[in-house]
Amino acid sequence: MEEPQVRYCTDKLWDLAAAEVQSRERDAGEDADGRGEAVGERTVFLMGSKAGGKTSLLLRCLDRDEPAKPTLALEYTFGRRATGHNTPKDIAHLWELGGGTSLSDLVQIPITAASIRSLSIILVLDLSAPSTLWATMETLLQVAQTHVEQAASQARQVDKKRAQSKQSANALFAARVLPKDFPDRELISPFPVPLLIIGSKYDLFQELASDKRKVVCKTLRFVAHYYAASLIFSSIKLESLVSKTKSFFSHLAFNADTGKTMSCDSSKPLIIPVGSDSFSQIGSPPTTEIDITSLHAKNPKDLWKKVYERIFPPENTSEKKLEKDPAKDPQYSEPQIDAMRAQKDQELEEYKKNAAKSWKGLQLDT
């Protein structure tokens, strides 16, 4: 008797498998950051104050024992971490923006439609330079948010096209969603992707007068809560703070647990996980010597800004622009290369002069 032939519909099997994987990803749940569980590969983008210690903190978080070098515009590295025995390692794509606010246009490189689903941002602010703190924070977050929203829009368009062509059963890309019980949920403006604010150089910050430290602490608490961000003060010279900073970094890069440590005391390093603070706990801006009515603030965020800048007046000039020719920037000096460059520049000038003489001679002959 002839056995019946069995046919497998491979297209159907692949569709079912893809749908199952996507269903598991959607059902993974969301954490306090408003994002699902680990997706295997994540992107973390570091930006912040110029010479604020971003590279040093990143190297410590990656357990790399190497000297920190000035960041050249935008630099990339990666980290890997095993999640279990005989399982593929999770990968974190790590981008670092140098130059403070002067190179903010480069944020469009790490913030793309391809990376937006697993993107987190770390903003490093130099606590030892409070007069530049607000301007740096405001400028970089505005630029980053604009590009995040553009990338999110592009991602949704791609998802719609895939859905129409039945290439993917995945749900349309959705913006970050906070838990319903998130404090002051209706009063804040959550950053569209998970955000961690790190106050660096805490060891130098301690040298400020206590009343000024309180102003910085309260202001950063307001900013962090307003954007639904985590906030931590750190210093590469204080090992205990490096360890806590590493746990916050690992949460964004590898979905590790941040722990339950929390500190809102302005006399100590702030450690405030996202969703742990509230406007009632933060209180009002420190305006004991300021007439609020004279500030003409448009909203609470604007009020905090005006109060802060009354106490810490911003510098008269915006952040120093980089040299038009980076080769002349002393930050990137290389003695041997610079000497060779100077020699070649001199040779070029001599060539130009000789060429000009030849050209004049040619004109006279004609």
Side-chain angles (χ1 to χ4, degrees):
M1 181 177 178
E2 184 178 352
E3 293 189 11
Q5 293 182 348
V6 180
R7 292 184 178 180
Y8 296 99
C9 184
T10 56
D11 291 341
K12 183 69 174 178
L13 288 174
W14 278 115
D15 289 342
L16 289 173
E20 175 65 19
V21 170
Q22 289 152 7
S23 175
R24 291 182 182 181
E25 289 179 350
R26 288 195 298 271
D27 294 341
E30 293 184 341
D31 52 23
D33 285 334
R35 183 173 66 184
E37 296 298 323
V39 293
E41 293 191 24
R42 293 190 171 200
T43 299
V44 180
F45 176 39
L46 287 85
M47 58 184 186
S49 303
K50 184 175 182 179
K54 298 181 293 296
T55 303
S56 298
L57 284 171
L58 180 58
L59 291 174
R60 295 298 298 274
C61 289
L62 294 173
D63 294 324
R64 293 182 183 174
D65 185 15
E66 56 187 83
K69 299 179 180 179
T71 302
L72 289 170
L74 182 69
E75 296 191 0
Y76 168 84
T77 187
F78 67 92
R80 291 187 295 182
R81 178 171 176 169
T83 56
H85 185 62
N86 290 332
T87 58
K89 291 183 178 181
D90 287 342
I91 300 175
H93 302 283
L94 309 170
W95 294 88
E96 182 188 348
L97 178 69
T101 60
S102 61
L103 298 173
S104 58
D105 290 346
L106 296 178
V107 303
Q108 61 186 307
I109 296 175
I111 301 177
T112 65
S115 68
I116 193 70
R117 295 181 188 278
S118 61
L119 175 70
S120 299
I121 291 180
I122 297 178
L123 177 66
V124 181
L125 299 174
D126 186 350
L127 296 176
S128 69
S131 61
T132 64
L133 189 148
W134 187 282
T136 299
M137 175 274 299
E138 188 173 49
T139 301
L140 290 176
L141 288 185
Q142 284 178 351
V143 174
Q145 183 163 353
T146 297
H147 284 282
V148 166
E149 291 170 351
Q150 291 175 355
S153 176
Q154 294 170 2
R156 282 190 286 269
Q157 291 175 5
V158 171
D159 288 344
K160 285 181 181 179
K161 291 180 180 179
R162 287 179 176 175
Q164 291 171 356
S165 62
K166 297 182 180 181
Q167 292 179 4
S168 172
N170 197 12
L172 295 181
F173 174 81
R176 179 187 180 199
V177 179
L178 298 178
K180 293 182 179 180
D181 59 348
F182 195 95
D184 307 309
R185 194 171 185 266
E186 303 301 323
L187 302 176
I188 62 177
S189 179
F191 202 74
V193 297
L195 173 66
L196 168 62
I197 299 176
I198 299 177
S200 64
K201 302 186 181 180
Y202 179 75
D203 54 309
L204 299 178
F205 177 66
Q206 290 177 295
E207 298 175 5
L208 287 179
S210 61
D211 57 334
K212 291 191 174 182
R213 289 203 307 269
K214 288 180 181 178
V215 173
V216 174
C217 289
K218 289 191 70 172
T219 302
L220 286 181
R221 284 180 65 187
F222 169 83
V223 169
H225 186 56
Y226 180 80
Y227 285 112
S230 295
L231 173 64
I232 184 170
F233 285 1
S234 188
S235 169
I236 59 171
K237 296 182 179 180
L238 301 173
E239 196 60 39
S240 61
L241 292 184
V242 171
S243 177
K244 291 180 174 63
T245 303
K246 185 177 178 181
S247 68
F248 277 80
F249 168 83
S250 297
H251 174 68
L252 296 180
F254 306 110
N255 201 42
D257 186 15
T258 58
K260 298 181 180 180
T261 304
M262 179 175 171
S263 173
C264 296
D265 188 346
S266 61
S267 65
K268 300 177 181 178
L270 296 183
I271 304 173
I272 308 176
V274 58
S276 302
D277 215 344
S278 68
F279 288 142
S280 61
Q281 292 176 309
I282 297 169
S284 58
T287 57
T288 53
E289 299 178 1
I290 302 173
D291 180 9
I292 294 182
T293 58
S294 66
L295 298 178
H296 306 293
K298 296 176 290 186
N299 50 55
K301 179 168 169 278
D302 191 44
L303 174 61
W304 278 86
K305 175 183 178 180
K306 291 181 181 297
V307 170
Y308 184 85
E309 292 187 340
R310 279 288 184 92
I311 300 170
F312 296 104
E315 295 180 352
N316 293 329
T317 57
S318 58
E319 188 172 55
K320 294 180 180 179
K321 295 182 179 179
L322 291 179
E323 288 271 4
K324 291 183 179 179
D325 183 359
K328 297 178 181 178
D329 191 330
Q331 180 183 0
Y332 310 124
S333 63
E334 291 285 350
Q336 294 181 340
I337 296 176
D338 293 342
M340 182 62 71
R341 171 66 184 268
Q343 179 183 338
K344 293 298 180 183
D345 286 343
Q346 186 176 359
E347 293 175 0
L348 178 60
E349 289 301 319
E350 291 294 329
Y351 172 80
K352 287 180 179 179
K353 290 179 181 179
N354 294 333
K357 290 179 181 179
S358 300
W359 177 250
K360 288 180 181 178
L362 181 62
Q363 286 181 323
L364 290 173
D365 293 340
T366 57

